[in-house]
């Protein structure tokens, strides 16, 4: 086999799965295949995610899965999950209608028509297509599994229905009472359950279907000969797209001309229009609301933000929560154990002298009632719906383990700028010991050259005062401290008091007092100087988000502590913390040291969630037990953290935590009832207290009930 250093991630559609045992068995086969790094099979989505070192081995994988009775085919991007689920639903309803007509006639003949040879013979004729045609998928998979010494739900259904039909033929020959209607009704009810299950899965993926349908169909591009209308999928990077008011942006790009407001709610969940102008980044499928724009395409196809969001949702739905491992282990041994229980039940009934028909009815009931559909659906269905609901609200969960981890969180640590605050800095105060205009010219020039967001705010404030900036030599930004640069031959130092002290500069008491006053007001203050002494103080302010205080209050009600982690000075940090209600402050923390603060909290025995902007806070997001990256739909933000909050509103933090916890609670509820159902129902069936037809209906209902319980997450708000 070719040695390929970087495994290729492949997605496969899986055919033939009917329960968690099927998924677990396919997963074991894939993971044992030489060349596979990891493989995860999801029963709810009927997809397998495989990391394969040699993509040419796909045919070998397919052959290995085929040998155990299933089939896998590479997923096609143009054939998304919602479409496949709709087709599956239509097929199951068609099968059910045929089975219902035939089995309905059999039930009428068995219960309401006088017993006669022709009657039972007609029942046998009508039951045969239900058992062997409608039920063919069960028998086909069960036979293939038998050849490889495996078993699944198909095995139980196949054994139960064939036993009912075989016993009825024997009874017919012995002139005894047959039970053709039992086998026919079992297949019909199970098929009905599958149809309802497929419909519910389709409802669960409505959010994903909505995302898939968001993109524009057409694009108007500028050419040397004028404008040209082309399919949106044919747009190439560098094309100039004309977007009229009310039209969708065809693909990601940058505005070349025009100003307008855009509806980006499909990305952020935020209904408020966003103002955009020349140089602004725009995203495919967002809506231009007011004026014509000319946009240069920058990203197309799978590289667009919308495509990345859809992939993240699908990846989350295909991943497994840690609790699912327990289900997989149980499912792998569940079916063989049930077969043994059914055999013991039949033998016991016969040994106690009961009629053979009673013994076989008890055994069939055990086989049918024990089908582990509900157990297999319990976890993936909740994840499917929870992650889809999150996508609708602008919360992207990057893996199923996030839902489980959210329950263990003790404390939420927040970055300040751009997280609890808007991140839009403005000059709030200037105190210069001499010549304010000259002071601002020198300081603004150095800050403009530093490239720091605060520096840009200072430079903008200086330009707004009609002061022209000067070229700077040897400009240097010092992380967490400030900036330096040479203007008119003088070394200008701008930043924290310590930075000026390191350069041997004295700070006059009046400047120190001004800095203390500003910090008490929650304004970030820094000092600037040259020629050995400080020359003035500049204060910049950042507005706290309107929802920040309510967000912190909600987290406290959830039993979570909060911490503010910022590189700002302690006075400013404590003022902001007091304004929003945060109880603990870690101030003057360098960007590279935020991860150390997270680790210190973890050493206190706390499970930590960190909320940051997804760029400067990447080390802390990685170090945290749960990283929540507040982004604005950018690729950098999407790559950071375990959860991506697609708009800048801190309220999405509490929304993400509540939704994750609600999803995990749904998983636990589903698993509890699925376990209780099997534990309680199998003994009832073994003791003859459960008719096989009632068992089939109950089994179908158990799966549907798990799906319906998961669908309640769609109403989360």
């Amino acid at each position: 086999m070719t040695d390929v250093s970087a495994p290729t991630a492949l997605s496969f559609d899986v055919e033939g799965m009917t329960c968690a045992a099927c998924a677990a068995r396919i997963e074991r086969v894939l993971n044992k295949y030489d060349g596979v790094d990891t493989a995860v099979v999801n029963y709810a989505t009927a997809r397998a995610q495989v990391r394969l070192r040699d993509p040419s081995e796909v045919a070998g994988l397919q052959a290995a899965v085929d040998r155990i009775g299933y089939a896998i085919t590479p997923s096609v991007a143009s054939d998304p999950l919602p479409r496949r689920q709709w087709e599956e639903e239509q097929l199951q309803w068609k099968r059910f209608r045929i089975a219902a007509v035939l089995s309905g006639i059999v039930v009428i003949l068995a219960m309401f028509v006088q017993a006669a040879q022709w009657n039972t013979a007609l029942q046998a004729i009508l039951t045969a297509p239900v058992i062997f045609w409608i039920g063919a998928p069960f028998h086909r998979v069960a036979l293939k599994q038998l050849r490889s010494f495996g078993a699944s739900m198909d095995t139980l259904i196949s054994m139960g229905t064939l036993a009912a039909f075989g016993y009825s033929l024997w009874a017919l020959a012995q002139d005894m009472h047959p039970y053709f209607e039992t086998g026919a009704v079992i297949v019909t009810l199970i098929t009905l359950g599958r149809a309802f299950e497929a419909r519910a899965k389709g409802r669960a993926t409505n959010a994903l279907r909505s995302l898939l349908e968001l993109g524009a169909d057409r694009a108007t591009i500028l050419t040397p000969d004028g404008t040209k209308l082309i399919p949106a999928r044919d747009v190439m990077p560098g094309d100039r797209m004309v977007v009229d008011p009310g039209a969708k942006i065809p693909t990601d790009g940058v505005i070349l001309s025009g100003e307008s407001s855009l509806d980006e709610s499909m990305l952020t969940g935020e209904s408020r229009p966003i103002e955009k102008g020349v140089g602004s980044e725009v995203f495919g499928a967002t809506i231009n609301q007011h004026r014509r724009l000319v946009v240069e395409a920058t990203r197309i196809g799978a590289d667009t933000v919308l495509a990345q969001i859809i992939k993240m949702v699908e990846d989350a739905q295909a991943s497994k929560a840690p609790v699912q491992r327990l289900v997989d282990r149980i499912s792998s041994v569940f079916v063989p154990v049930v077969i043994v229980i059914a055999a013991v039940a039949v033998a016991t009934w016969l040994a106690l002298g009961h009629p053979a028909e009673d013994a076989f009815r008890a055994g069939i009931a055990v086989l049918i009632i024990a089908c582990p559909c509900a157990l297999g659906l319990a976890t993936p269905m909740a994840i499917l719906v929870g992650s889809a609901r999150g996508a609708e609200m602008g919360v992207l969960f990057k893996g199923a383990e996030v839902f489980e981890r959210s329950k263990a969180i003790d404390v939420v640590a927040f970055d300040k700028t751009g997280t609890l605050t808007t991140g839009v800095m403005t000059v709030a105060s200037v105190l210069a010991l001499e010549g304010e205009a000259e002071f601002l010219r020198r300081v603004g020039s150095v800050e403009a050259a530093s490239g720091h967001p605060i520096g840009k705010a200072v430079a903008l404030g200086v330009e707004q005062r009609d002061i022209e900036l000067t070229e700077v030599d040897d400009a240097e930004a010092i992380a967490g401290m400030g900036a330096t640069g040479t203007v008119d031959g003088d070394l200008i130092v701008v930043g924290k008091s310590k930075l000026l002290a390191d350069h041997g500069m004295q700070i006059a008491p009046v400047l120190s007092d001004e800095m203390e006053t500003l910090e008490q007001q929650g304004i970030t203050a820094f000092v600037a100087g040259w020629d050995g002494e400080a020359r003035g103080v500049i204060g910049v302010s950042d507005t706290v988000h309107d929802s920040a205080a309510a967000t912190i209050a909600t987290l406290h009600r959830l039993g979570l502590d909060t911490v503010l982690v910022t590189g700002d000075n302690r006075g400013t940090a404590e003022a902001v913390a007091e304004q929003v209600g945060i109880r603990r402050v870690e101030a003057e923390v360098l960007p590279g040291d935020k991860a150390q603060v997270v680790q210190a909290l973890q050493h206190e025995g706390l499970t930590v969630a960190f909320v940051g902007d997804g760029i400067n806070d990447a080390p802390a997001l990685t170090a945290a037990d749960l990283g929540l990256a507040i982004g604005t739909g950018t690729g950098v933000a999407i790559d950071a953290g375990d959860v991506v909050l697609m708009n800048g509103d801190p309220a999405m933090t509490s929304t993400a935590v509540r939704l994750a916890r609600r999803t995990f609670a749904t998983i636990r509820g589903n698993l509890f009832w699925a376990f209780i159902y099997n534990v309680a129902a199998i003994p009832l069936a073994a003791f003859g207290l459960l008719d096989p037809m009632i068992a089939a209906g109950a089994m179908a209902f158990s799966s549907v009930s798990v799906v319906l319980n998961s669908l309640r997450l769609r109403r989360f708000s």
Side-chain angles (χ1 to χ4, degrees), residues 402-676:
V402 170
F403 302 110
E404 195 162 341
R405 266 189 268 158
S406 68
K407 191 64 180 176
I409 296 300
D410 300 308
V411 59
V412 181
F414 285 89
D415 171 52
K416 179 177 75 70
T417 304
T419 302
L420 290 174
T421 65
T422 62
V424 180
M425 309 293 290
T426 57
V427 176
S429 173
V430 178
L431 174 61
L433 296 182
E434 54 185 55
E436 180 176 303
E438 177 64 11
F439 173 77
L440 287 175
R441 181 182 72 85
R442 292 189 163 204
V443 172
S445 298
V446 172
E447 289 285 38
S450 72
H452 192 277
I454 292 180
K456 291 180 180 179
V458 172
L460 179 61
V462 171
E463 290 178 334
Q464 289 173 342
R465 288 170 167 80
D466 294 328
I467 298 173
E468 187 174 348
L469 300 180
T470 305
E471 185 174 343
V472 178
D473 296 324
D474 303 322
E476 180 184 5
I478 304 171
M481 298 295 290
T484 62
T486 301
V487 177
D488 300 336
D490 293 326
L491 177 65
I492 314 298
V493 181
V494 186
K496 294 183 177 180
S497 300
K498 184 179 183 305
L499 183 62
L500 270 72
D502 290 344
H503 284 77
M505 296 185 184
Q506 300 294 321
I507 301 177
V510 63
L511 298 181
S512 298
D513 292 343
E514 175 69 6
M515 293 181 70
E516 184 177 349
T517 299
L518 292 175
E519 289 168 3
Q520 289 174 351
Q521 297 173 4
I523 298 173
T524 299
F526 53 90
V527 64
W530 56 87
D531 287 342
E533 62 179 301
R535 305 287 179 159
V537 170
I538 293 181
V540 294
S541 63
D542 185 8
T543 305
V544 173
H545 271 288
D546 294 337
S547 62
T551 298
I552 300 303
T554 299
L555 293 174
H556 289 167
R557 285 196 298 271
L558 292 173
L560 301 174
D561 285 332
T562 52
V563 179
L564 180 62
V565 183
T566 178
D568 222 331
N569 62 76
R570 178 158 294 277
T572 300
E574 289 181 344
V576 172
E578 182 178 0
Q579 185 176 347
V580 301
I582 287 182
R583 300 164 179 168
R584 179 173 172 178
V585 175
E586 298 289 340
E588 301 179 13
V589 179
L590 296 176
D593 294 338
K594 289 183 180 179
Q596 295 178 12
V597 174
V598 170
Q599 291 164 353
L601 292 169
Q602 291 169 330
H603 289 156
E604 295 176 20
L606 300 172
T607 303
V608 183
F610 185 85
V611 188
D613 63 13
I615 303 173
N616 297 329
D617 300 316
L621 288 164
T622 302
D625 299 284
L626 185 64
L628 295 95
I630 287 188
T632 55
T634 64
V636 176
I638 287 176
D639 289 338
D642 305 300
V643 182
V644 179
L645 312 177
M646 293 301 290
N647 69 50
D649 190 345
M652 299 306 293
T653 303
S654 57
T655 298
V657 172
R658 290 189 300 109
L659 177 55
R661 287 186 166 189
R662 179 77 62 82
T663 302
F664 186 61
T666 301
I667 291 172
R668 291 200 302 184
N670 286 347
L671 288 174
F672 174 79
W673 288 111
F675 276 117
I676 291 297

Side-chain angles (χ1 to χ4, degrees), residues 193-281:
R194 295 276 179 86
F196 276 123
E197 186 181 304
R199 174 177 291 179
K201 287 181 181 179
R203 290 174 60 191
T205 55
N206 277 345
L208 188 56
R209 182 184 291 110
S210 298
L211 286 174
L212 291 166
E213 293 173 351
L214 282 173
D217 296 324
R218 299 280 182 175
T220 302
I221 63 170
L222 291 175
T223 70
D225 299 325
T227 60
K228 181 181 180 182
L229 188 65
I230 64 172
R233 64 177 178 273
D234 292 341
V235 173
M236 300 298 292
D239 284 347
R240 291 178 298 161
M241 306 175 291
V242 178
V243 186
D244 291 321
K248 292 180 180 179
I249 307 292
T251 192
D252 296 2
V254 176
I255 296 177
L256 297 179
S257 67
E259 294 182 353
S260 186
S261 58
L262 273 72
D263 178 1
E264 295 187 345
S265 58
M266 48 72 62
L267 286 178
T268 65
E270 173 63 57
S271 59
R272 179 172 54 87
I274 308 297
E275 297 297 326
K276 301 274 186 171
V278 174
S280 297
E281 188 175 17

Side-chain angles (χ1 to χ4, degrees), residues 46 107 120 142 174 202 222 308 339 448 534:
V107 170
T120 51
Q174 299 296 320
L222 291 175
Q308 291 179 56
I339 293 173

